[in-house]
Amino acid sequence: MHFELASDFVINDTLKPHVGDNFRVAAPGLPLHQCPDTGNAIYPKIMTTGSGNGIHEPAFFAKIVSMTGKDKPKVVYIGTPFFDREDKFESGTKSFRAIGCRIKRLMVAKECTTPSPEEMRRIIVDFPDVIVVSGGNSLFAMLRWQSIGLDLLIKEAALKGVVLCGGSAGCGCWFDTMQTDSLKPEACKLSERVLTELSAEERLNWSFVRISCMGYLNAFCVPHIDTKGTNEVARVDIAKKMLLDAQLESGMENPIIGFGVDELAGVVYEHGKVTIMSLGKRKNGIGEATCHILYVDQRREVMCIPLTPNTGEAATLEELIERAMRSVEALQSPLDLIVSEEISISHAVHRRGVSGAVDWGLIEATAPVVKTTEADAPLVADQLPPLPPPPSHPHQRTPSNLLYSPAPLNIERIANDMNATTFEERCATPPPPPHTHQRTPSNLQYSPALHNIGRTSEDAHGINSCRNDHDKVPVGELPPPPAPSSVGLFHQGRMAAVVEQHNPNLPPLFPRGDLPAIKVCNSHSI
């Protein structure tokens, strides 16, 4: 029974029940045919790009023509994902028309335009050197092709050496699975008209889905991975969640690999090997367009590793995956460096993804990765701004110089202070070092503020209210206060206090003009 849409407007309700259908026509990643006598394997020849019309970029178009071995290859255009729209046919074949290619158009989106099986065979198998698949609604195209047997004819053409190409939907359809926006409300034939009738909220109210495809490349394809959908959701974030969910469902012993393609990146698959091409900078001007390997590591974190494009090297998908994994293992504490579209390259931001997952995605792939110590995250050379010079007063603990923080605190000394039962025990410290104001772990135990913190307003009346009754000491018996310092901390029983005092000879602890008054509060509220 042939699948056909009943409407050119609302189609997502019709498509949604088929999200889990199986559209594979080949064993993922295996050759289409292998001769039992010679062992020679036949793989499909594929050239795809992240964006729908990317194949018309001069570098990509020249590669497609060279893969056919002809100056003017014969072309078949399949516009099923765009519901056989006339304007998409014109834009999707412009480069081939410009060099004088013969072009045939296969229209199968509607039953009334679908040719007979014999005619389809002549068009798809016997005629072309190149088959071009448009962008658009991938799920609809998979359903329609399967229902009329077009998917099997395309496989037969691939066995004869016909080059398969396309972008967006025409990119993901050749993989085992793909991420698609086929359920968004405007993913129909009359998309412009639908958009005028939708509210802003309705335009955002849809989700990406993961569907199976023809299975020539054994990976989960994510076209446009460097962009957001019309629902304002980053495709890379959803791809990682989809990959993690699929991996946990199938089990960690069966790795599922993602393959992201930037809009201005291209993928050449020939003789079972992959070559990555790039047109240079991404459309947002940040980083070089490339492809990315995504996988779930043993910590159940999703890694997204950019590949180096334009090397001319061809490698199997398994080799690319192994290299990507080794590059992460070489970094003992990998942390993703994702470049946001709203900020410049010099203000890159660190971000983690699904379930604490690490995103390695969307950085300039050719930039060398350097590492200073085991505890440091990897930094991308020449992308981060230079570190500021050390502050003139290294003891000034502000956010601007927190980077220069010394070694960990002297926890043992702090514990001894907190266990002191009398004021004298707490104050019994060795003589202070020459610079008592420098608040570092090495001289934390000499802080004179520990002597002075208990002198509250009640001390002036002869009673120290910050101690238990058995610790009360007359004011006259207290030791003389030491010189003012920048900060101190005293904790005893249920009371705590924080004091900041001013010393004009020292730089301020906080970069502000007004100094806080003495605050005494219950320890439960600290």
Side-chain angles (χ1 to χ4, degrees):
M1 180 179 179
H2 291 177
F3 174 85
E4 186 175 9
L5 292 173
S7 169
D8 289 335
F9 293 93
V10 181
I11 64 171
N12 53 358
D13 292 339
T14 307
L15 296 178
K16 189 177 295 184
H18 298 280
V19 168
D21 288 8
N22 184 358
F23 302 110
R24 298 175 182 88
V25 296
L30 298 180
L32 298 178
H33 176 75
Q34 191 159 11
C35 179
D37 298 329
T38 64
N40 294 334
I42 300 177
Y43 289 89
K45 294 193 288 186
I46 300 172
M47 167 60 199
T48 71
T49 65
S51 61
N53 283 326
I55 61 170
H56 300 289
E57 296 290 342
F60 295 159
F61 180 73
K63 181 61 179 178
I64 293 172
V65 173
S66 69
M67 290 172 71
T68 67
K70 298 181 179 181
D71 295 333
K72 297 181 180 181
K74 293 177 289 184
V75 179
V76 168
Y77 175 84
I78 303 177
T80 315
F82 267 136
F83 310 93
D84 293 332
R85 284 177 44 159
E86 187 70 28
D87 58 334
K88 302 301 182 181
F89 167 70
E90 295 296 327
S91 62
T93 57
K94 58 183 180 181
S95 297
F96 296 101
R97 292 198 309 271
I99 64 172
C101 295
R102 292 179 59 195
I103 302 173
K104 287 190 177 183
R105 179 183 181 188
L106 182 65
M107 301 175 64
V108 297
K110 293 281 190 179
E111 192 67 31
C112 59
T113 62
T114 302
S116 66
E118 294 76 19
E119 181 64 19
M120 275 199 299
R121 174 178 292 277
R122 284 193 291 270
I123 295 174
I124 294 297
V125 180
D126 300 334
F127 172 76
D129 300 306
V130 178
I131 293 177
V132 179
V133 176
S134 72
N137 194 312
S138 306
L139 180 54
F140 168 69
M142 291 291 102
L143 280 165
R144 185 63 185 158
W145 293 352
Q146 186 181 67
S147 71
I148 62 176
L150 179 57
D151 53 348
L152 298 177
L153 291 178
I154 294 174
K155 178 182 178 181
E156 193 173 334
L159 277 167
K160 291 183 60 178
V162 175
V163 177
L164 311 176
C165 67
S168 189
C171 172
C173 67
W174 313 120
F175 285 76
D176 180 53
T177 58
M178 72 172 291
Q179 179 194 86
T180 177
D181 56 5
S182 296
L183 298 185
K184 65 182 180 182
E186 68 270 26
C188 59
K189 185 173 184 178
L190 303 178
S191 58
E192 291 82 3
R193 182 174 172 182
V194 170
L195 284 174
T196 62
E197 299 177 2
L198 293 175
S199 66
E201 182 179 355
E202 289 172 329
R203 293 185 185 186
L204 300 175
N205 189 23
W206 62 271
S207 301
F208 290 100
V209 292
R210 177 174 173 259
I211 64 172
S212 73
C213 297
M214 301 184 74
Y216 298 141
L217 284 86
N218 188 20
F220 163 50
C221 182
V222 188
H224 316 278
I225 193 173
D226 55 338
T227 67
K228 296 179 181 179
T230 58
N231 56 0
E232 293 301 319
V233 176
R235 295 175 188 264
V236 64
D237 292 341
I238 297 301
K240 287 182 294 183
K241 184 180 186 306
M242 289 178 174
L243 189 63
L244 182 63
D245 291 344
Q247 188 67 81
L248 295 179
E249 182 179 351
S250 66
M252 296 299 294
E253 64 277 3
N254 301 311
I256 300 176
I257 302 300
F259 195 90
V261 185
D262 288 343
E263 289 229 316
L264 297 182
V267 183
V268 178
Y269 185 67
E270 198 170 14
H271 307 301
K273 294 188 176 183
V274 175
T275 303
I276 308 300
M277 300 180 66
S278 174
L279 297 179
K281 292 290 186 181
R282 295 189 180 92
K283 287 186 176 180
N284 58 22
I286 302 175
E288 186 176 17
T290 187
C291 297
H292 311 262
I293 295 293
L294 296 89
Y295 70 95
V296 181
D297 67 9
Q298 294 301 317
R299 298 172 297 177
R300 299 188 178 183
E301 294 181 344
V302 181
M303 312 299 290
C304 182
I305 317 300
L307 303 174
T308 303
N310 297 333
T311 64
E313 179 186 7
T316 65
L317 190 58
E318 291 73 18
E319 290 172 343
L320 293 178
I321 295 167
E322 183 181 357
R323 293 177 191 175
M325 291 182 175
R326 283 205 310 264
S327 69
V328 174
E329 292 172 358
L331 301 172
Q332 298 178 7
S333 301
L335 186 64
D336 186 20
L337 208 161
I338 285 194
V339 178
S340 170
E341 296 181 10
E342 293 77 20
I343 62 175
S344 66
I345 192 89
S346 61
H347 293 85
V349 293
H350 292 101
R351 184 173 71 182
R352 283 186 175 262
V354 177
S355 184
V358 178
D359 318 299
W360 255 95
L362 314 184
I363 66 173
E364 189 168 355
T366 56
V369 178
V370 296
K371 195 164 188 287
T372 53
T373 66
E374 281 190 12
D376 291 335
L379 302 178
V380 179
D382 301 326
Q383 287 188 344
L384 296 180
L387 293 176
S392 57
H393 302 286
H395 64 276
Q396 186 171 338
R397 303 279 290 167
T398 67
S400 62
N401 70 3
L402 194 58
L403 181 64
Y404 303 99
S405 174
L409 296 175
N410 188 336
I411 301 300
E412 181 180 359
R413 175 61 196 182
I414 294 176
N416 293 337
D417 282 344
M418 300 307 294
N419 293 330
T421 57
T422 66
F423 182 78
E424 289 75 12
E425 290 179 11
R426 187 176 297 277
C427 297
T429 60
H435 301 286
T436 58
H437 64 277
Q438 186 167 342
R439 300 283 291 168
T440 66
S442 60
N443 70 2
L444 188 60
Q445 67 260 39
Y446 303 113
S447 174
L450 296 176
H451 299 269
N452 191 41
I453 196 71
R455 297 179 74 81
T456 64
S457 59
E458 286 128 343
D459 286 340
H461 297 86
I463 298 296
N464 187 344
S465 61
C466 292
R467 298 167 175 75
N468 297 328
D469 291 340
H470 64 277
D471 289 329
K472 293 180 182 178
V473 180
V475 175
E477 300 179 13
L478 292 175
S485 63
S486 58
V487 70
L489 175 67
F490 171 80
H491 180 86
Q492 181 68 27
R494 295 171 57 85
M495 299 298 292
V498 177
V499 175
E500 182 174 340
Q501 296 180 331
H502 178 61
N503 187 333
N505 297 323
L506 301 179
L509 179 65
F510 302 101
R512 62 175 186 266
D514 55 320
L515 295 175
I518 297 176
K519 296 180 181 179
V520 179
C521 55
N522 191 289
S523 60
H524 288 294
S525 63
I526 292 181

